[in-house]
Amino acid sequence: MTSEGRASRIARQIKEDLSTILLFDVGDPRLSGVFITDVNVDRELAYANIFVSTLEGVEREQEVLDGLNRAKGYMRSQLAQRIQLRSFPNLRFNWDPTPENAERIERLIDSLSKDDNSEDD
């Protein structure tokens, strides 16, 4: 078992390197515009939970997750070459709805502020 600090450093490194791999090395068109929002590595270093999203939002969720799962072996081997660990964690991809939720909240706040301004007139 590894310390929380070490797991956090490994997660940060996975996020940086995987972002680079997605941008420059993976040619699958389903993965264009994908960005990594967070990476969590368990303390046993068995799994890396990777949270992803796109600018297009939830409409592409299944397409993106299918593409990531198809390229999982390649990405894991590329990461293992870049990050020296005795045993590299298995990658698990998850959709992160946070960007869509943040956008929805911003629209609600904007509509509330517009309503307040129209009442002041």
Side-chain angles (χ1 to χ4, degrees), residues 40-109:
N40 296 321
V41 177
D42 66 351
R43 291 185 61 190
E44 290 79 26
L45 299 179
Y47 293 99
N49 291 304
I50 301 161
F51 297 89
V52 298
S53 192
T54 64
L55 294 176
E56 294 88 0
V58 74
E59 299 86 37
R60 291 192 52 211
E61 176 181 359
Q62 196 57 51
E63 169 190 2
V64 167
L65 291 176
D66 288 345
L68 288 168
N69 285 318
R70 179 147 173 104
K72 184 188 306 192
Y74 171 76
M75 291 186 288
R76 184 173 183 238
S77 69
Q78 290 297 306
L79 287 168
Q81 290 175 12
R82 296 172 189 217
I83 304 170
Q84 298 301 312
L85 296 172
R86 189 174 308 143
S87 168
F88 202 83
N90 290 310
L91 307 180
R92 294 194 291 200
F93 294 99
N94 304 285
W95 187 258
D96 186 357
T98 304
E100 291 100 27
N101 293 342
E103 183 180 329
R104 193 178 104 248
I105 290 170
E106 285 179 18
R107 283 195 312 262
L108 288 171
I109 291 171

